Amino acid sequence: MTETFDPRTVATRLHGLRQAGRQEATDSFPLPGDFHQAMEAQNLLAATDGIASNAWKVTVSPQGQAVTAPLHPYAEAVSGADIPWYPGLKFETEIAVRLASDLPVRTGVPYSRADVVEAISAVHLGAELLVSAVRESGSVSFLLFVADRLGNSGYVLGPKLEKSVVDTVAGAPLKVTHAGHTIYDGPAQHPKGDVLTWLVDYANDGLRPETSLKAGALITTGTLSGAIELTEPGAIDIELGNSRLSFSVSKA
């Protein structure tokens, strides 16, 4: 499309599609010209969605740019979580970490993995739900996917785990059932092997906001089960080693 990219207009459109549980093709949108425009649209979408939680997802673009997006709706399973189900909704088992201290933007020596681990106060089992208003998600325009909050459509925070899990989770037994059917039964596997890779990358991103990675922030670190489509509403039960997380996805 040749239409000029206006962050506010695109954010409003993404919000409307999400509210209606609809998707439209990438080529029906004007596209962000750069990462700054994509993040401006994402921030406007988050404001329109009324997102107040200090919970974030982190990943890396195909070009190696570390990116984040807020998690919404955000729930803690102890309160009986129920996340809206829409056609195309996908599920990922993840590990989330909470920061005990700030990781300010650095201009000198980069953060090591050990530096990031030291800043973590707690580790949790979690589940991310994803469905983008963009039909192709990020496969055609990753920047448009950034604007659409990286496809996040919900997050459920589960029980606290031992902090050492960030070092040992790879290969741990993981089983997930949905609506009474097993949808994953195998070893926990992060796309980068190490669950902290993308968080360390983001910590060392000189372009990130000064307000990012502050004490108290919760950051989810990427899938351990791949992205699995949930073809119907129903209860989800996750078993990672001896830890368990249960919640539901229901028709909005």
Side-chain angles (χ1 to χ4, degrees):
M1 289 185 65
T2 56
E3 183 184 345
T4 302
F5 182 83
D6 177 64
R8 189 170 299 278
T9 300
V10 170
T12 299
R13 185 171 167 199
L14 291 170
H15 175 75
L17 289 169
R18 282 173 165 271
Q19 291 293 102
R22 293 176 48 227
Q23 296 177 306
E24 291 186 2
T26 301
D27 63 11
S28 72
F29 292 87
L31 300 180
D34 55 28
F35 179 67
H36 173 77
Q37 285 190 337
M39 285 304 299
E40 189 177 357
Q42 185 196 106
N43 292 337
L44 289 164
L45 175 60
T48 304
D49 286 336
I51 299 175
S53 64
N54 191 15
W56 307 85
K57 66 179 293 183
V58 61
T59 189
V60 171
S61 77
Q63 292 74 38
Q65 171 68 51
V67 293
T68 60
L71 300 173
H72 179 78
Y74 169 79
E76 299 192 358
V78 290
S79 59
D82 196 354
I83 298 292
W85 177 88
Y86 296 100
L89 186 72
K90 293 182 179 180
F91 156 90
E92 296 180 351
T93 302
E94 304 197 353
I95 293 295
V97 301
R98 193 174 297 281
L99 298 182
S101 55
D102 296 352
L103 290 170
V105 176
R106 273 188 180 177
T107 54
V109 178
Y111 287 103
S112 66
R113 186 183 189 278
D115 291 333
V116 172
V117 170
E118 187 177 353
I120 293 170
S121 61
V123 177
H124 291 260
L125 177 61
E128 183 181 5
L129 290 310
L130 303 116
V131 61
S132 177
V134 182
R135 187 170 297 136
E136 301 87 358
S137 296
S139 63
V140 177
S141 171
F142 189 80
L143 288 177
L144 184 61
F145 190 53
V146 169
D148 192 34
R149 295 201 289 107
L150 295 170
N152 175 260
S153 291
Y155 196 81
V156 181
L157 189 70
K160 190 178 286 189
L161 307 173
E162 293 292 329
K163 186 173 173 179
S164 59
V165 162
V166 296
D167 300 319
T168 63
V169 70
L174 173 61
K175 183 176 181 179
V176 183
T177 59
H178 170 242
H181 304 287
T182 300
I183 58 173
Y184 188 89
D185 191 357
Q189 301 179 83
H190 189 273
K192 303 303 290 186
D194 178 4
V195 295
L196 294 183
T197 295
W198 291 331
L199 178 54
V200 174
D201 287 346
Y202 187 64
N204 287 316
D205 175 24
L207 299 177
R208 66 181 171 92
E210 293 286 345
T211 54
S212 61
L213 299 184
K214 295 289 189 180
L218 182 86
I219 301 101
T220 195
T221 58
T223 184
L224 300 175
S225 59
I228 304 166
E229 185 168 349
L230 304 178
T231 56
E232 61 181 326
I236 292 177
D237 190 71
I238 305 167
E239 294 179 59
L240 178 65
N242 296 320
S243 299
R244 188 167 180 168
L245 167 57
S246 300
F247 64 99
S248 295
V249 290
S250 305
K251 278 193 176 180

